[in-house]
Amino acid sequence: MPVAVVFGLSSGQSLPKLHRMSYVLHYAPDNASLVVRLCLHEMQQPFETVLVDRRTRAQDSAAYKVLSPTGLIPCLETPDGPIFETGAILLWLADRHQKMAPAPDHPQRAPFLKWLFFVSNTVHADARMIFYPHYFVGADPAAQDGLRNQVRERLKRHFKLLDALTLDKPDWQAPDSPPSVLSYYIACLSRWLMLYPADGPAWFKLSDYAGLQELHSLMDLRPATEAAIAAEGLGPHPFTRPRHPTPPEGSAV
Ligand SMILES: N[C@@H](CCC(=O)N[C@@H](CS)C(=O)NCC(=O)O)C(=O)O
């Protein structure tokens, strides 16, 4: 039975057939699920959402862990089963719908994949040390500051690489092409680094990355971005002038 039925309807009810076949995105506002939401909109795929309420740590619940055993957000329910890990979801969607990424036999597939995995394995993993230092060094504030200082420098270096990539303008990371799944992933990461933690210093400046700034200012205006702004209360210019979200439901942290 699709989990949408378990989460979305009281027992005994069933969804109409078409409804049941759509994707179900388990999300929290302005969390990594935002990348998936943006890409689903960009691909014009219908989907339902189920809030993972971070205020009650619903990501740790047994029901959520059936879908996403790591307890991390997002999870996307698909006809092939639930998928967790943002990069895996993005690649699966791009291949399934043949949109927003070079096809497996395209000569650009190799460079696209190496940068997608770099962003997922290294950049996103480093960003998590900024957002959740306690997972890595415990509660000691000095240890957390030390970690964050070190990781900030590495992130700046790595965003310089992503900026150089963008200035090279491969089709899948260029202002004059529709954004790829990777473009949305990078744009969300730069947004989060500007916003979180809420009480942290303003160390990440988009103006240091000319290529990304140009691309992100166009991505601010995409219909997919408008849809995500409405759904998650992101405010105007979510990638170039981000502000803390005021979501209609749930919370970012
Ligand atoms: N490697 C994971 C990371 C996802 C991630 O960091 N999710 C955060 C929200 S942005 C989360 O679930 N945080 C809740 C927690 O750590 O308890 C992915 O790419 O999906």
Side-chain angles (χ1 to χ4, degrees), residues 27-137:
Y27 89 105
D30 213 12
N31 277 220
S33 44
L34 174 59
V35 193
V36 180
R37 180 194 288 280
L38 286 158
C39 293
L40 285 166
H41 280 304
E42 189 71 46
M43 291 178 189
Q44 300 189 318
Q45 286 301 311
F47 64 100
E48 299 165 32
T49 55
V50 175
L51 176 71
V52 183
D53 192 346
R54 290 195 51 164
R55 286 168 305 197
T56 59
R57 290 204 61 90
Q59 68 269 33
D60 295 336
S61 68
Y64 185 65
K65 283 194 166 176
V66 168
L67 299 169
S68 183
T70 61
L72 293 174
I73 304 161
C75 177
L76 184 71
E77 287 183 73
T78 78
D80 295 352
I83 313 179
F84 55 89
E85 280 299 308
T86 308
I89 298 170
L90 298 181
L91 190 53
W92 186 89
L93 283 173
D95 286 353
R96 175 61 58 111
H97 298 290
Q98 298 176 21
K99 285 180 178 165
M100 298 183 73
D105 59 352
H106 193 286
Q108 281 293 305
R109 177 72 163 193
F112 169 80
L113 279 186
K114 77 184 174 194
W115 287 107
L116 178 64
F117 277 75
F118 172 68
V119 165
S120 162
N121 282 351
T122 301
V123 180
H124 193 176
D126 277 348
R128 283 177 45 80
M129 292 187 210
I130 302 277
F131 308 145
Y132 308 106
H134 53 283
Y135 286 159
F136 302 91
V137 291

